[in-house]
Amino acid sequence: MPPRRRTDPADGRAAVAIWRAAPEDAPRSAVRVAVRFTLEELAEVAPGHAVEVRVPPDGAVQAVEGPRHTRGTPPNVVETDPQTWLALATGLLTWDDAVAAGRVSASGERADLSAVLPLQATRARP
């Protein structure tokens, strides 16, 4: 069962659109909503609790099927900044390029999110 959504999908898509129109100049409030919405999308398309995805200071989610993590430092962690996360979620940046550039910290055998990114609901259109 996917986690309960906190972000209205219409508000989330609107925030992503605002960010896509001007990534560096988008209002902080729109970035925060866009990050939370896309993290919720990730949890929906890759349900589970094996990987903790952190996008400080805006949010975190557990996703990806596998062993559930309950205490201490998770064995599978992905962490990045809001701009990089949104670029990954929308397809403006590939997972491999982000990792190679050091824009994503990914540890653990299940921490590769390339199979689920970009998110279909936010994918960049040619």
Side-chain angles (χ1 to χ4, degrees), residues 65-88:
E65 205 171 283
R68 182 182 183 97
H69 166 74
T70 57
R71 299 184 135 213
T73 302
N76 300 287
V77 176
V78 172
E79 188 165 338
T80 191
D81 63 275
Q83 292 292 331
T84 300
W85 171 251
L86 290 173
L88 287 165

Side-chain angles (χ1 to χ4, degrees), residues 2 14 23 30 32 44 52 54 60 63 76 79-81 107 110-111 122:
R32 183 174 303 256
E44 191 168 292
E52 186 165 295
R54 301 173 180 166
N76 300 287
E79 188 165 338
T80 191
D81 63 275
S107 62
R110 296 179 187 271
T122 60

Side-chain angles (χ1 to χ4, degrees), residues 91-126:
L92 297 175
L93 178 65
T94 68
W95 177 260
D96 290 338
D97 288 346
V99 171
R103 294 177 63 183
V104 170
S105 170
S107 62
E109 64 185 34
R110 296 179 187 271
D112 181 344
L113 299 180
S114 61
V116 294
L117 294 174
L119 299 169
Q120 194 64 30
T122 60
R123 186 174 300 232
R125 288 169 179 72

